Amino acid sequence: MPDSPHDIFSLVTPADIRRIRDSAQENFVKLIDKVFDRLLVLKGARDLTKAQTNTKQLLNCIRVLTRLLPFVFELGPDGGDLEDIVLWTSRPRPGSGADYVLGNQLVSAVIDLLFTSGFTVPAATVGEDAVVRYTIWENGIGQTSSLGSSKEHVSNRVEILRLLLVLCSKAMYFPPAGSISLPNRALHTIAYNNNKRMVLCLLCSLINTSLKDRAQGWSIPYRGSAAVDPHDELTQQALHALFVLLDYQISAAKPDNKDATAAAADNTADGPGSVIDTDADANTPSVLLITETKVGTHNLFRAFIAKLHRTQEFDYLISNIIRLLEEAMRANLSILASVTKQPTRTVMPQEAAVLLWILLENNSSFRDYTVDHNNSLKLFSLLLYFMLSGYTDPAQAGLVRTISNILHYLSEDSKFATRLMQPFDQSILPSTMRIIDVCLTHADFMINTVFTLLSSSKPYLIPVYSNLLLLIRNVSPYLTQTSQPTADKLVSLFDIISSPAFIISEPYHIRWLIYLIEVFDYVIHYRAVDNPRLIYKMVKTRSCFRRLKTFDLATAKIELAALRDKKSKAESTRTIGKSASLLVKPGHASVGDDPTDVLFDASATNQGTSIVSAASERSDIENIERTASPALSDKARGKQPQLEAKAKANPDKPADSQGSIDSNPTPCSSLAKLAVSKKGGGAKMSLQQFQPSEEWVFSWLPDLPLDPILSVLDTLSRRIDKLAEAVEKEAESVAAVDTEQLSKQAGDNKSSDSHRRQPESADISTKNAIDGFQSRVSPVDPTPAILHWLSSDAMVEALPDLEESMPEIRPRLQGMSPALIVWFRSLLWSMVYASGMKPLGIWKNTRVRLFVVKNSQ
């Protein structure tokens, strides 16, 4: 008899399963029926846990079903009706003759086994028969004490949760477009189950097991051997089951708001925070299937998550999520962990980030508590750390995008944005991530992080960029005391994105530009006096704004074509060895490279490598537009009568191109890398090249609030020039006085030394002293005086009247577009798939369609 799941998976190969499934389908169905019938018989035995043979047989039945079911689902929606025949067709049960539906019975049996005393939960009394006893496994939400489960209980839970995930894994075999609309009956039966007691116990058990802190004393956060700890495996399986159950929601039952989901749990059962009744009278013999399969109209798992409201519940959740992230960061920075390359003992940061996002998305009260929590800024810093540590690794793209969604969602709260102005402690970061000799706020570090990710310009991060720019946009009305590196990078980023060639290279680039324009618009109107360094940098680079105001489509097309042609020629002259490129570490720019080079390069190279991401980006942007604040009014954006009149008078003639190329401060070398032909190269295109038109230009250009920005910058420029002249004159007058005093002192010395024999040498030394003093007088730097004036009330009085163009402070909201839902679902199931590869390879070599599986070399 097999003793472990490894034995089952090695004895039953995928080729064997497919051969019997395809050539003898009737025998395949009978095999599954026989295995399940044996499972029911063993489950109903009162002495299940007293006879070791029965327990081993029951586990082997679970393992065989875990092995077979993926090959039932892999045929997909176009592979016939095998799933309906095996799981959802009523037929006589072997041995009894009674009709039953295997899918419903299997769901009930799996849930029952998760709460069977002596098998997965401790027996209430010594010698108690195997009964189904709904109870919460660990202390935490809904439970004040742990059950004290044994290692065997933990191992059995792992096996059953593995079967539960396999039973719900039909979603893996849906194409992305059908993952929302096509039914998943097994998952629907569990998530929409009407048994509220079961839902509460299972939900709280999964949450508490996932967040349980098992660290004791000076334990080391990594493994020293390849053996899998069943507690670690249970934690991971519990998290994945929790994600799958909370994510599932059919479109027909999707509420208009989160409160509607929470209302489904009201007046029906106590919330998760209440004490679950574990009276012995509620125990039921497991000879029967206790868990019913009647479904309702709402996902009760989501409903009860939305109903969480107690402070101790929220503190338990947020504190343990922060703990998990801290443990993962310490493991990454540990010297021993970096040398041994062993996986961490706890969950990876990806799971912690996904759990945080799900909780924030489904419970608005939890978001409010997170924003007000004492450790909210620590959480913010940890999330930024994982973004910085993972953005160069394509395998971590899901983590980076998840964090970007979390930060965007939190930035919608003005209290959170205000808290980001507090000083940032860089000591929690590794030395490679610190900005030396600069005092930063959390907002400063956030903007520097965004710049780092955008300048790296990885094609797989294209969908993340909108969230990052929206994060800055939502925080901008509250920015204060922006540091000089932050001001330089923010304006440099605008210089890149406002380049005419960059604007027309992709349709969604204009959205990035609008987000940055709104950042400067908010700063100009609300925070000018609080950000003197940023304002001064904007004044010095105001040609970028003027270039945008005189945008010329024809000139932009010529510039883009020239850049692509230059890029194509450069690629054609490369040697086969590409020795020069090997000198640069992948994902890092070489010394002397301008960050704009890489950003423009990705704008071009993602054409053939990130088509799905680009489509997702467009859909996400459209959804953001639907949920964002409405378009600015004429007062808010400033009027542009000259441009509009010129367009109406001669729409076919390009607008004045003054400043569009010659005044472009972006280095030519940075734009050259945009010149990639979408038809050449080896890139296989399935999307047509974007062709901007005059109508497209005038759909966004007149709405940009450039007039008030340029008005302020021009006014400040004149005042700053006068101030700089005054500082220079004052410095010259001081230098003249000092020179005069030195000359007078030299004359006095000369008269006193007139009796000496070498007067000519004295004159020469005096002249050299004066010349040396004048040479040491360096040009005075007016910057301190300018920054002092920009942060004073005098600057505010010098500004033009901005009342009519004052924009309303409204965050751009995050919405769950269909593309984002599909991406998130594929992320969850890819995590489940990856965890199933170790150690068993549950879904290995099956035809997964929801995401692409790449075998590591």
Side-chain angles (χ1 to χ4, degrees), residues 362-550:
N362 288 279
N363 193 312
S364 58
S365 298
F366 177 74
R367 187 187 76 167
D368 296 337
Y369 182 84
T370 301
V371 168
D372 295 332
H373 196 271
N374 294 333
N375 289 327
S376 62
L377 293 181
K378 178 188 287 188
L379 174 64
F380 177 79
S381 303
L382 289 168
L383 294 175
L384 289 182
Y385 162 78
F386 283 108
M387 289 189 76
L388 282 173
S389 63
Y391 77 95
T392 57
D393 183 5
Q396 299 295 320
L399 172 61
V400 175
R401 187 171 181 181
T402 302
I403 294 175
S404 72
N405 281 285
I406 292 172
L407 295 179
H408 178 199
Y409 192 66
L410 290 175
S411 71
E412 297 171 9
D413 193 306
S414 60
K415 293 184 293 184
F416 180 77
T418 303
R419 295 194 71 178
L420 294 183
M421 303 308 123
Q422 296 183 21
F424 177 71
D425 182 10
Q426 299 190 64
S427 62
I428 68 171
L429 299 174
S431 58
T432 55
M433 293 184 183
R434 298 176 188 174
I435 302 177
I436 308 300
D437 299 331
V438 177
C439 295
L440 302 177
T441 63
H442 286 77
D444 281 324
F445 186 66
M446 175 196 72
I447 295 173
N448 280 273
T449 301
V450 171
F451 180 85
T452 300
L453 267 67
L454 266 73
S455 61
S456 70
S457 207
K458 308 295 182 182
Y460 51 82
L461 293 181
I462 292 294
V464 177
Y465 293 158
S466 283
N467 275 337
L468 297 179
L469 293 172
L470 281 168
L471 174 61
I472 300 177
R473 186 264 178 208
N474 287 345
V475 172
S476 60
Y478 313 96
L479 277 178
T480 58
Q481 301 304 320
T482 308
S483 67
Q484 192 60 56
T486 302
D488 294 341
K489 291 178 180 178
L490 190 56
V491 175
S492 176
L493 190 61
F494 175 73
D495 183 17
I496 300 168
I497 294 179
S498 64
S499 169
F502 187 85
I503 291 174
I504 67 172
S505 60
E506 283 290 350
Y508 51 83
H509 285 173
I510 186 56
R511 304 311 315 164
W512 299 357
L513 175 63
I514 290 175
Y515 301 152
L516 278 181
I517 285 286
E518 290 179 353
V519 170
F520 297 121
D521 193 34
Y522 277 129
V523 171
I524 285 290
H525 284 88
Y526 291 99
R527 295 292 176 179
V529 72
D530 297 324
N531 295 279
R533 298 177 186 86
L534 179 56
I535 293 295
Y536 188 32
K537 185 67 177 180
M538 292 171 61
V539 170
K540 291 193 290 186
T541 57
R542 61 189 180 280
S543 57
C544 298
F545 297 92
R546 189 167 291 107
R547 172 190 62 190
L548 189 58
K549 184 176 177 63
T550 58

Side-chain angles (χ1 to χ4, degrees), residues 572-633:
S572 65
T573 58
R574 289 181 181 176
T575 60
I576 297 177
K578 298 183 181 179
S579 57
S581 64
L582 295 178
L583 298 177
V584 182
K585 184 179 179 181
H588 297 274
S590 61
V591 176
D593 282 352
D594 192 287
T596 57
D597 294 2
V598 213
L599 186 56
F600 275 100
D601 189 36
S603 171
T605 57
N606 76 75
Q607 305 288 346
T609 60
S610 189
I611 295 173
V612 174
S613 296
S616 176
E617 167 76 4
R618 295 188 186 101
S619 180
D620 289 351
I621 289 172
E622 291 172 0
N623 182 72
I624 289 172
E625 285 304 297
R626 289 194 295 269
T627 60
S629 54
L632 296 175
S633 64

